[in-house]
Amino acid sequence: MQIQSTNTVDTSVTPFKDKINFPLTKKRITVLQINIGRRCNLACTHCHVEASPKRTEELSPEVCEQLISIIQRFPEIKIVDLTGGAPEMNYGFKPLVEAAKLAGKQVIVRSNLTIYFENGFGNLPEYFAKHELKIVASLPCYLSDNVDKMRGIGVFESSIKALQWLNQLGYGKESNLILDLVFNPQLPTAEKFSLAPEQSKLEQDYKMFLQKHFNVVFNNLFTITNLPVGRTKMYLERRKLYASYLQFLESHFNPSTIEHLMCRDEISIDYLGNVYDCDFNQMMNIPAKTRKGENLTVTKLLEVGSLDLINEVQTAPYCYGCTAGCGSSCSGALL
């Protein structure tokens, strides 16, 4: 099943491909990012996936088996990056984890932390430690008011308890149990936009505050720009800030980020088995294209026996979010 793009052209900024003046080419694929589904126990205001407890979309058994085949057949894949929604809530999470670990891949789970306190998910921290999963956890601020405003009342307290639990299991302390946190800026209320603070300095602030007040430790902090996609886009449009935010991002375009963009060495796959250049294109229904201009699916990848069917990355105005300032990616700043 293919999803067709319904996007209109945004005329408020320079088309991204015109800005860079050359095709944004794909490199060899080493990262397989899978959005397992949109079911989540939270409904965060900035969520570009628009996930919530009311969403029901998730991986099918058929697509799950195809993804396991891809993990097993392509040794060039070094990282399997599982996201959602809350990926842990959606069908196929554990089968994909175990297939990837058996194939010698690094597995990343993008966790909201609070899922561990939902009925039926209380064994997740121990499961993560057993399989040595790398946890990338959302904590958009180290102050409770800001976190609860973005993610829901009580989320900060639950997140701290989850981090303490993970620390007790060795996360953030043992070299094989990596615990990284993600910072997102607060959404703007007026035309006073700002990029994320310098990542290494903010990481030190996080570490000092969390250890002093909660005895929590972690490995790395990733600063991620809020791209105008999903709920962030809707939020900006309601406040008539969407066009000016895009213009702000374009005004901070940094060509040095291009070499390091995450879309160049990864493919992003949705719960239907469609292939995209990145998670943001997935949410905006802009599929990856083969050299012949065909939309890609996991079925096609398996039929051809290659992951390297994409020559040029599909771009959009929100690409300025990944290339503004020090850049932004699923692994934080690019520079």
Side-chain angles (χ1 to χ4, degrees), residues 188-189 234-242:
T189 57
M234 291 187 284
Y235 172 95
L236 293 167
E237 287 176 334
R238 284 197 302 270
R239 288 158 179 80
K240 296 181 170 50
L241 296 173
Y242 174 69

Side-chain angles (χ1 to χ4, degrees), residues 11 40 77 84 93 97-98 112 116 125 128 163 178 217 232 265 268:
T11 58
C40 189
I77 295 173
F93 175 72
V97 164
E98 290 161 27
N112 67 30
Y116 314 154
F128 292 172
L163 291 171
I178 303 299
V217 297
T232 296
D265 63 0
S268 172

Side-chain angles (χ1 to χ4, degrees), residues 4-105:
Q4 299 298 322
S5 173
T6 57
N7 295 310
T8 56
V9 175
D10 191 292
T11 58
S12 63
V13 295
T14 307
F16 188 78
K17 62 182 180 180
D18 294 343
K19 175 69 76 170
I20 60 177
N21 285 322
F22 54 84
L24 185 60
T25 54
K26 209 77 165 175
K27 299 180 181 179
R28 188 166 177 79
I29 301 302
T30 60
V31 180
L32 180 66
Q33 186 175 71
I34 306 168
N35 187 300
I36 300 178
R38 300 199 184 189
R39 182 182 291 111
C40 189
N41 59 311
L42 301 178
C44 302
T45 59
H46 65 299
C47 181
H48 71 281
V49 180
E50 301 176 50
S52 80
K54 296 180 180 179
R55 302 299 291 260
T56 59
E57 307 96 317
E58 65 178 353
L59 207 61
S60 69
E62 179 186 5
V63 174
C64 184
E65 287 303 314
Q66 290 180 313
L67 290 168
I68 288 172
S69 294
I70 284 178
I71 290 167
Q72 293 170 338
R73 286 177 56 179
F74 297 104
E76 61 265 38
I77 295 173
K78 306 302 180 186
I79 298 171
V80 175
D81 186 345
L82 302 177
T83 184
E88 306 98 323
M89 292 184 73
N90 291 275
Y91 177 85
F93 175 72
K94 288 185 177 180
L96 288 169
V97 164
E98 290 161 27
K101 292 301 294 186
L102 191 62
K105 318 295 187 185

Side-chain angles (χ1 to χ4, degrees), residues 7 40 43 93 111 132 172 183 243 283 286:
N7 295 310
C40 189
F93 175 72
S111 181
E132 298 183 351
F183 164 88
M283 295 309 125
I286 302 177

